[in-house]
């Protein structure tokens, strides 16, 4: 499904070059549940951003469904990103002035989905997340766990092939974090590909595959039953 070939990412910082990713090759198959792990500053989030086309590599190839999208223009990258990927962030990234319903509807508006269908799907997704009673609430009126479930509903709005989650439980207490992990596992059981960045060893062990990264290099891989 996704193949990175010899991908590197360099940043210029105060006259010096930082290698955030160094010759990384990685394949993620449809239906996998992958945890990307490693110490702080190892390149985990950079790798996730490359996978989600939120950032582009300095060198190397990106293949999506065996099609090389590396050199496509930004507009085409945005179209692919909106169609194929859903994103969940540690800080939720909800629009504070929009209700839960409006936050979930937003990605569908970018995709050109008619208003009635946007609303119907947003209501369905929020209902599935146990938030039918919170649809008209602003993010500031909800708990952290509820906000993250809104974010998951938003990530699912355009029926993506892949959910990319960057420390999705990092700002939550353990009981609410467990709710989010259970939700991600349920989505994967229903065929959604999950790629999650986490520093939590226990969460990493719950994934079906663990990818370890250190100093921008893939160091090890492990699979779990």
């Amino acid at each position: 499904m996704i193949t990175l070939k010899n991908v590197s990412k360099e940043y210029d910082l105060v006259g010096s070059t930082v290698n955030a990713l160094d010759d990384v090759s990685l394949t993620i198959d449809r239906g996998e549940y992958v945890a990307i792990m490693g110490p702080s500053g190892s390149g985990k989030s950079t790798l996730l951003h490359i996978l989600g086309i939120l950032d582009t590599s300095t060198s190397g190839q990106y293949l999506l469904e065996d099609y090389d999208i590396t050199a496509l223009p930004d507009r085409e990258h945005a179209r692919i990103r909106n169609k194929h990927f859903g994103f969940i962030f540690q800080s939720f990234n909800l629009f504070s002035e929009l209700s839960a319903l409006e936050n979930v509807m937003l990605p569908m508006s970018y995709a050109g989905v008619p208003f009635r269908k946007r609303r119907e799907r947003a209501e369905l997704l929020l209902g599935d997340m146990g938030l039918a009673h919170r649809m008209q609430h602003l993010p500031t009126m909800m708990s952290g766990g509820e906000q993250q479930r809104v974010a998951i509903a938003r990530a699912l709005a355009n029926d993506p092939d892949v959910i990319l989650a960057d420390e999705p439980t990092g700002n939550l207490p353990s009981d609410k974090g467990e709710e989010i992990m259970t939700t991600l596992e349920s989505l994967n059981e229903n065929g959604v590909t999950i790629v999650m960045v986490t520093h939590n060893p226990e969460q990493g062990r719950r994934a079906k595959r663990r990818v370890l990264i250190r100093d921008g290099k893939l160091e090890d891989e492990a699979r779990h039953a």
Side-chain angles (χ1 to χ4, degrees), residues 125-215:
L125 289 169
L126 286 169
D128 288 346
M129 292 293 140
L131 295 171
H133 62 302
R134 293 293 204 181
M135 290 187 189
Q136 301 303 328
H137 286 65
L138 298 175
T140 53
M141 302 166 68
M142 294 182 282
S143 70
E146 288 172 333
Q147 290 183 63
Q148 194 61 296
R149 279 185 278 154
V150 173
I152 292 173
R154 182 184 60 187
L156 293 168
N158 286 327
D159 194 22
D161 299 310
V162 184
I163 294 290
L164 299 171
D166 195 351
E167 300 282 7
T169 67
N171 284 337
L172 300 175
S174 58
D175 59 333
K176 300 303 180 184
E178 176 62 26
E179 289 180 6
I180 299 305
M181 290 300 298
T182 300
T183 299
L184 292 176
E185 289 163 2
S186 177
L187 290 171
N188 181 246
E189 289 170 2
N190 286 303
V192 179
T193 304
I194 307 288
V195 182
M196 174 184 66
V197 161
T198 182
H199 67 277
N200 186 314
E202 180 182 343
Q203 292 182 1
R205 285 191 291 270
R206 291 170 67 161
K208 296 175 182 175
R209 177 181 169 202
R210 188 176 71 242
V211 174
L212 302 180
I213 186 169
R214 186 183 299 274
D215 297 327

Side-chain angles (χ1 to χ4, degrees), residues 49-76:
H49 289 180
I50 296 286
L51 288 168
I53 330 176
L54 292 170
D55 200 356
T56 55
S57 61
T58 306
S59 61
Q61 281 185 295
Y62 187 128
L63 304 180
L64 180 64
E65 303 287 12
D66 296 323
Y67 181 75
D68 190 345
I69 67 170
T70 310
L72 292 178
D74 290 344
R75 180 179 297 180
E76 188 64 12

Side-chain angles (χ1 to χ4, degrees), residues 61-128:
Q61 281 185 295
Y62 187 128
L63 304 180
L64 180 64
E65 303 287 12
D66 296 323
Y67 181 75
D68 190 345
I69 67 170
T70 310
L72 292 178
D74 290 344
R75 180 179 297 180
E76 188 64 12
H77 278 165
R79 184 192 67 79
I80 293 170
R81 186 168 57 243
N82 195 48
K83 179 180 179 181
H84 290 280
F85 298 97
F87 300 91
I88 306 169
F89 301 98
Q90 178 177 346
S91 56
F92 317 138
N93 285 11
L94 300 176
F95 287 92
S96 60
E97 70 277 14
L98 299 181
S99 68
L101 185 66
E102 291 167 333
N103 267 285
V104 178
M105 290 172 65
L106 193 60
M108 291 182 279
S109 68
Y110 297 145
V113 178
F115 177 83
R116 181 176 294 180
K117 289 186 177 180
R118 294 202 305 266
R119 186 181 182 94
E120 288 174 353
R121 178 154 178 79
E123 289 176 346
L124 176 64
L125 289 169
L126 286 169
D128 288 346

